[in-house]
């Protein structure tokens, strides 16, 4: 991982933004299709020297106002702004944790919530992707694919290391990038446990992992639809929602819902649930 993720992100987004996208003329002597530093600096109301120092990593403490001005100048999407916020905090060091061990205990109220979600597929993960608690519906869905084999049940390790994951996820690359984005956010914060996990996967997986870790940007998806080729019931379309739990253990709850009628019927069959109407819309 580079120690100048923020600067690289800003530079690459500047170079990927055309003058037309921000309402500027292209001009006759432009060497590249992207924006010049001077153009972004003018649009954002900062000096060219300051923008240069940000991109080169010589200044890693931009204010929220500066980050907002740059995001506005480059017409960032909400996802881009969220990524910029994380990178800005990581660069300034304000997000570095004390290195506490990732939590393994789930609060009784959270376990009670999982009980309310039965038999729907739902799981609680810690910040490294370890499975801490899950509904019986989640186990019925993911135990046959291999996630619960062995002593340590970690979703990222399964996706990256277990060869079955590539058969289970037809869109394996997208799924892998989503989980790696979560790990990258922890590494940027200076979490030594995340750094250790990244080191393990570097050795176990090699280039397919390291190249994704080194790629710029990337922020974990909070919702969407993923495909799962289940060995018992066939292809499923699962909508998911990721909810951060409000505690110091940095746990998150992931809930899956059927995204179509065929998936709803298949999930009912896996969990033994009587046919119902609950599905994503």
């Amino acid at each position: 991982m580079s120690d100048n993720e923020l600067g690289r992100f800003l530079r690459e987004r500047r170079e990927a933004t055309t003058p037309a996208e921000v309402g500027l003329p292209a001009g006759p002597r432009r060497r590249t299709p992207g924006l010049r530093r001077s153009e972004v600096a003018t649009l954002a109301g900062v000096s060219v020297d300051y923008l240069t120092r940000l991109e080169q990593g010589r200044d890693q403490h931009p204010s929220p106002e500066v980050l907002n001005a740059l995001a506005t100048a480059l017409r960032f999407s909400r996802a881009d702004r969220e990524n910029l916020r994380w990178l800005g905090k990581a660069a300034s060091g304000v997000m570095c944790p004390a290195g506490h061990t990732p939590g393994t205990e789930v609060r009784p109220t959270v376990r009670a919530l999982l009980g309310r979600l039965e038999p729907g597929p739902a799981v609680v993960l810690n910040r490294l992707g370890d499975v801490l608690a899950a509904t019986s519906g989640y186990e019925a869905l993911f135990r046959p694919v291999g996630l619960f084999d062995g002593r340590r049940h970690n979703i990222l390790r399964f996706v990256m290391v277990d060869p079955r994951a590539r058969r289970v996820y037809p869109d394996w690359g997208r799924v892998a990038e989503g989980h790696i984005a979560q790990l990258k956010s922890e590494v940027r914060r200076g979490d030594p446990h995340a750094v250790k996990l990244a080191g393990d996967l570097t050795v176990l997986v090699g280039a397919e992992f390291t190249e994704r870790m080194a790629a710029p940007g990337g922020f974990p998806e909070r919702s969407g639809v993923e495909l799962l080729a289940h060995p018992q019931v066939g292809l499923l379309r699962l909508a998911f929602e990721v909810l951060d739990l409000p505690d110091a253990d940095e746990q998150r709850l992931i809930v899956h819902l059927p995204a179509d009628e065929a998936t709803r019927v298949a999930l009912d069959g896996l969990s033994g649930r009587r046919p119902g109407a609950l599905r994503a819309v």
Side-chain angles (χ1 to χ4, degrees), residues 88-110:
K89 288 188 175 183
S92 63
V94 300
M95 295 181 67
C96 293
H100 62 279
T101 302
T104 57
E105 298 297 323
V106 178
R107 297 198 312 272
T109 51
V110 176

Side-chain angles (χ1 to χ4, degrees), residues 193-213:
H193 303 281
V195 172
K196 181 180 183 301
L197 177 56
D200 291 344
L201 293 175
T202 295
V203 176
L204 292 170
V205 182
E208 282 194 306
F209 173 74
T210 58
E211 289 174 1
R212 285 179 165 84
M213 282 292 287

Side-chain angles (χ1 to χ4, degrees), residues 55 118 146 165 168 197 200 215 231:
E55 289 190 357
E118 289 281 13
V168 168
L197 177 56
D200 291 344

